[in-house]
Amino acid sequence: MKKNLYLRKSLFLSLLFFLTALPLAAENYPYRSDYLWLTEPDHADWLYRIGENANVEVRLYRYGIPQNVELTYAISRDMLSVEKSGKVLLKNGKATINMGTRRDPGFMDMKLTAVIDGKTTSHHVKVGYSVDKIQPYTKEPADFLDFWQKEMEEQKSLPLKYSMEPAHEYDTDKADAFLVKLEVNKQRQSVYGYLFIPKKAPEGGCPVVLCPPGAGVKTIKEPLRHRYYADNGCIRFETEIHGLDPRLSEKQFKEISTALNTGANGYLCQGLDSREHYYMKHVYLGLVRAIDFLTSLPQWDGKNVAVQGGSQGGALSLVAAALDKRVTLCCANHPALADMAAYNEKGRTGGYPHMHKIGVLDKNSERTLQYYDVVNFARHITCPVRMTWGYNDNTCPPTTSYAVWNVLTCPKYPVITPINEHWTSEAMERAHCDWILSNLLK
């Protein structure tokens, strides 16, 4: 009874936090919605062992009033086809549904739908089975490290080239802002970034923090979102990956994205025929070049290099930590680009960008992706990693987050938030900063 009361109290407090504290675009429960779903698995951590049945109590409210309506449910493996469906009648606004079990490690997803006065409302919940046993489908090529070492040696022979100009529109009372354009290879491909340096930073006095971006062709949004890094004495570099000036208009970015980032023409699908030609090669090498730049700054403390990002940025943070041993700390939210080719095996869940849906995932592209998949980089990380992910995520599914997590052999610190979809709270972002600050090398 005490455990059940604790669980209900925890769910209520979590719900209250989500409804009051999260940005509007990042809520599981839409802001100012008439409907509220609550899903309560009978295991408080949403985790089961293989062979155990998961029973989930489902509640639905409209205007805060319990709804006695018929629900339709559809149960599937994480991101895969429906295996079981049915209907259930809510009584006093609630019902319990048996989601069944799995005979192998992974997640099950239950999608819920109700029609009230002609309007459809929906929700979903995922639960995991023996998640500590999830292993990636992706194999590591025998020459994986040799390939990347050769590429980095070639890059190292090139001079460090960049431009750096004041970006006074982002200056704060504690930091000066600069717009940096950094060349990353002999083809003169570049990345842009906003650099924040604490005012009056002493020479040799500041840790550096590299922040790679999430997926898409877009500007660097909200450069000051993480201003508390510079406020606490860190140099922070917020970057993009396509060599597009972030000062371009929103309209221009949308036009470029429509022209060059649609379906099989999208950058994550370009060059999949060859590991040498894949688009992400210059992006991954650009991470090392960004660290070259940051560690060349006179204000760098000579010791601490942190990387931090979410989704594609989480993936790139892990890649940077594997490629560059100057990285001393890594924070990654729900990493993308993980176990991408797993869909090639029936019944397996793969990671973003879900190339099987685009029609570009085959055995040939799988061979290329092995050199770019985050799970193969994760195997080689030695610095401490703090990683967070949610179970209800349908962009970077929890199956692939565990595929990454379970191969990490470095010191690692999980922050698991089952109810989260593809977002993190501002409190979580600040907690990453606190973790970095508390683990700096002295």
Side-chain angles (χ1 to χ4, degrees):
M1 178 62 75
K2 287 184 178 179
K3 179 180 178 182
N4 194 44
L5 287 173
Y6 171 76
L7 174 60
R8 291 175 185 273
K9 182 178 179 181
S10 297
L11 285 170
F12 174 77
L13 291 174
S14 297
L15 173 61
L16 183 63
F17 171 78
F18 292 133
L19 290 175
T20 58
L22 294 176
L24 307 191
E27 294 180 4
N28 280 18
Y29 301 108
Y31 183 62
R32 295 182 179 176
S33 173
D34 292 338
Y35 304 100
L36 173 63
W37 292 85
L38 291 176
T39 48
E40 185 179 326
D42 57 352
H43 284 196
D45 58 3
W46 301 31
L47 297 178
Y48 300 79
R49 306 309 299 174
I50 289 172
E52 287 185 309
N53 281 295
N55 293 290
V56 179
E57 184 179 88
V58 179
R59 285 174 276 171
L60 175 59
Y61 301 87
R62 186 189 189 197
Y63 312 137
I65 301 170
Q67 297 298 293
N68 295 326
V69 296
E70 185 179 71
L71 295 187
T72 299
Y73 63 87
I75 300 172
S76 65
R77 293 173 178 236
D78 196 7
M79 306 296 294
L80 300 179
S81 300
V82 173
E83 298 179 4
K84 176 184 176 182
S85 61
K87 298 179 184 293
V88 64
L89 184 64
L90 295 181
K91 296 181 180 179
N92 297 319
K94 62 183 179 180
T96 297
I97 301 173
N98 183 348
M99 287 184 63
T101 191
R102 286 184 64 133
R103 298 298 174 186
D104 57 345
F107 279 79
M108 298 297 288
D109 186 6
M110 180 166 65
K111 299 175 178 65
L112 301 158
T113 305
V115 179
I116 301 175
D117 292 342
K119 302 292 184 180
T120 300
T121 178
S122 59
H123 189 58
H124 80 127
V125 59
K126 296 186 188 184
V127 298
Y129 299 84
S130 297
V131 296
D132 56 316
K133 305 297 184 185
I134 293 173
Q135 290 295 311
Y137 163 86
T138 300
K139 302 297 187 291
E140 181 179 330
D143 63 346
F144 177 80
L145 291 177
D146 291 339
F147 170 75
W148 284 108
Q149 191 61 44
K150 177 177 177 293
E151 294 292 340
M152 289 190 293
E153 287 297 328
E154 181 178 322
Q155 182 187 58
K156 192 181 297 183
S157 68
L158 302 174
L160 182 63
K161 291 185 178 180
Y162 63 90
S163 62
M164 182 172 165
E165 60 183 270
H168 293 306
E169 66 272 28
Y170 295 118
D171 286 348
T172 72
D173 59 331
K174 293 185 178 181
D176 296 318
F178 302 87
L179 179 63
V180 175
K181 182 180 180 181
L182 176 67
E183 285 190 17
V184 301
N185 56 23
K186 63 184 179 182
Q187 289 79 30
R188 302 190 67 182
Q189 289 175 290
S190 300
V191 297
Y192 281 85
Y194 283 110
L195 180 71
F196 297 89
I197 301 178
K199 290 183 184 294
K200 299 180 180 179
E203 187 169 319
C206 298
V208 294
V209 182
L210 172 64
C211 180
V217 177
K218 56 194 178 185
T219 188
I220 301 172
K221 292 187 176 180
E222 302 181 67
L224 289 173
R225 179 187 175 193
H226 298 99
R227 61 171 292 175
Y228 39 82
Y229 280 88
D231 288 351
N232 284 281
C234 295
I235 295 170
R236 186 170 174 91
F237 193 31
E238 300 267 353
T239 68
E240 60 85 54
I241 61 171
H242 303 295
L244 297 172
D245 192 324
R247 296 169 297 189
L248 293 174
S249 70
E250 190 70 26
K251 179 181 178 183
Q252 288 172 309
F253 272 105
K254 285 182 179 179
E255 289 175 347
I256 293 170
S257 183
T258 300
L260 302 176
N261 192 36
T262 303
N265 193 42
Y267 67 93
L268 287 169
C269 299
Q270 291 179 17
L272 276 173
D273 60 311
S274 164
R275 66 181 186 177
E276 282 79 17
H277 300 146
Y278 186 42
Y279 184 91
M280 295 301 283
K281 186 173 83 168
H282 87 274
V283 176
Y284 286 13
L285 293 173
L287 299 167
V288 178
R289 185 99 297 191
I291 294 171
D292 290 340
F293 163 68
L294 288 170
T295 56
S296 75
L297 297 172
Q299 298 92 340
W300 178 49
D301 67 8
K303 299 176 183 178
N304 292 286
V305 177
V307 286
Q308 184 269 318
S311 194
Q312 178 185 265
L316 296 179
S317 296
L318 292 164
V319 169
L323 287 179
D324 198 323
K325 296 309 177 185
R326 290 173 293 184
V327 175
T328 54
L329 295 169
C330 175
C331 285
N333 304 336
H334 41 250
L337 315 181
D339 218 16
M340 292 178 279
Y343 289 111
N344 274 341
E345 182 177 300
K346 185 177 180 181
R348 293 290 298 249
T349 299
Y352 182 87
H354 308 291
M355 292 179 179
H356 69 302
K357 294 182 179 179
I358 305 171
V360 297
L361 184 60
D362 55 27
K363 288 299 180 181
N364 184 50
S365 59
E366 178 180 332
R367 284 190 288 273
T368 298
L369 289 172
Q370 287 177 338
Y371 291 91
Y372 293 89
D373 200 290
V374 169
V375 297
N376 285 336
F377 289 92
R379 302 178 202 274
H380 300 285
I381 296 174
T382 56
C383 73
V385 171
R386 173 183 163 98
M387 185 169 143
T388 182
W389 65 100
Y391 293 165
N392 281 351
D393 196 336
N394 275 341
T395 302
C396 299
T399 300
T400 59
S401 286
Y402 272 105
V404 172
W405 180 257
N406 289 342
V407 301
L408 288 170
T409 58
C410 58
K412 55 184 184 178
Y413 306 89
V415 186
I416 302 171
T417 54
I419 199 171
N420 283 32
E421 297 182 6
H422 196 61
W423 54 266
T424 50
S425 68
E426 186 59 29
M428 181 68 72
E429 293 294 317
R430 284 182 174 269
H432 288 332
C433 178
D434 292 340
W435 182 80
I436 289 172
L437 292 171
S438 64
N439 286 280
L440 294 174
L441 299 175
K442 304 301 183 184

